[in-house]
Amino acid sequence: MRKTMWTALGAACVTGAFGLFFRWLQLLNRFDETTGLYTPGLSGYLFALWCILAAAALYFFSRRCFSGQAAVPEAAVAFGCGRPGRLIGTLCAAILCLGGLIVLFSSGSAVYPRAERVLGLLAVLSGVGFAVQLRQVRAGVRSAGTMTCALMPVILFCYWLVLCYKEHARDPVIWSFCVQILALCVLAVSFYYETGYLAGKVVPSRALWLMLLSVYFCFAVMPDSMPFGRKLVLFAAGASQLYLAGLLLNGWEPSPAAPEDTARV
């Protein structure tokens, strides 16, 4: 599955890079500089079409990855890795904590300072929980603490989703914030499916699709206007999803060939 792993990660990054470009083009050409109102045009249609095509392509690719696979491995096997992989996971957690700290200490300039402080605190707890969760899973520990750590990113993005909606409740231009809403929704559901995997409720193709799709939206949302701390949190979340997708694919092994197929070869 190593070749499939690199293909999947490359597909998520390439589609995400194009999504970032089309979103930047849409923000550059379709929003009036004086009024901020949206004007329909080609760049907006291209971005919407690319989102649909990317989601469909990643979905069919994810289903194909797990067609004809062997039995489901334990979480310690699926999310296990060597020392370089552990360093990457720790780096993702550290960047997530750093983004949370920036959000926390720059909350004074936010529209809702108290809510922004809670967001920063949840981001820091999610980074710590992500690192602890990976360590416990590799050790084969499945406890209430492990599940709590795995659920922290879900709580973070659900809270952020409510806060984002509250901040843009009076904004008449849906295109100005809908990509953020989609990114937060996909990230929350993706981390939820990862938590389900740790609990023994495995839907590997759907989990992989949501991981890759969350990477795509974390790329696509980067041109949006938001504080640096929030962008850093989204970057860390996308990187962690890319990391988990690689571990998930690397932990699976193809099922052995059937006797008839072996005889034909």
Side-chain angles (χ1 to χ4, degrees):
M1 293 289 283
R2 188 173 295 273
K3 182 179 179 181
T4 305
M5 177 190 73
W6 289 114
T7 304
L9 303 188
C13 291
V14 169
T15 54
F18 276 100
L20 185 153
F21 172 72
F22 287 135
R23 177 60 173 169
W24 171 79
L25 203 62
Q26 182 192 33
L27 293 173
L28 186 66
N29 297 326
R30 301 269 57 91
F31 287 88
D32 189 273
E33 295 182 0
T34 55
T35 63
L37 296 178
Y38 181 78
T39 305
L42 180 61
S43 58
Y45 298 138
L46 280 175
F47 176 68
L49 179 62
W50 183 253
C51 286
I52 296 172
L53 291 176
L58 294 175
Y59 174 76
F60 287 113
F61 179 81
S62 301
R63 286 184 62 88
R64 186 177 179 184
C65 283
F66 293 102
S67 60
Q69 294 302 307
V72 178
E74 291 293 327
V77 177
F79 293 116
C81 60
R83 185 175 181 181
R86 291 196 294 270
L87 291 176
I88 294 173
T90 304
L91 181 61
C92 291
I95 296 174
L96 186 54
C97 289
L98 177 62
L101 288 174
I102 294 175
V103 171
L104 187 62
F105 289 113
S106 62
S107 59
S109 59
V111 180
Y112 301 102
R114 291 183 179 178
E116 194 77 1
R117 293 188 194 100
V118 175
L119 180 66
L121 181 60
L122 287 175
V124 173
L125 292 176
S126 297
V128 174
F130 184 74
V132 173
Q133 163 209 337
L134 290 177
R135 184 174 182 179
Q136 289 183 340
V137 167
R138 291 189 200 102
V141 178
R142 184 182 295 179
S143 62
T146 307
M147 300 304 299
T148 303
C149 291
L151 280 172
M152 284 308 303
V154 181
I155 298 171
L156 164 66
F157 291 111
C158 287
Y159 175 81
W160 192 347
L161 183 63
V162 176
L163 179 59
C164 183
Y165 178 78
K166 185 177 181 180
E167 290 173 341
H168 296 89
R170 297 182 180 180
D171 191 345
V173 184
I174 298 177
W175 267 119
S176 63
F177 62 93
C178 68
V179 182
Q180 295 182 44
I181 295 290
L182 288 172
L184 296 174
C185 288
V186 175
L187 281 167
V189 178
S190 179
F191 277 107
Y192 175 77
Y193 268 85
E194 179 214 343
T195 306
Y197 192 101
L198 299 179
K201 306 293 183 181
V202 185
V203 188
S205 60
R206 197 175 303 171
L208 178 63
W209 175 58
L210 288 167
M211 288 175 183
L212 299 180
L213 189 62
S214 62
V215 173
Y216 167 80
F217 275 110
C218 284
F219 269 97
V221 80
M222 284 299 148
D224 284 31
S225 176
M226 69 175 78
F228 174 73
R230 290 191 178 192
K231 286 191 176 184
L232 194 60
V233 171
L234 287 173
F235 172 80
S240 65
Q241 288 298 295
L242 196 67
Y243 169 75
L244 290 173
L247 292 184
L248 181 61
L249 285 171
N250 196 43
W252 284 67
E253 295 293 339
S255 58
E260 296 181 0
D261 296 337
T262 307
R264 288 177 185 175
V265 174

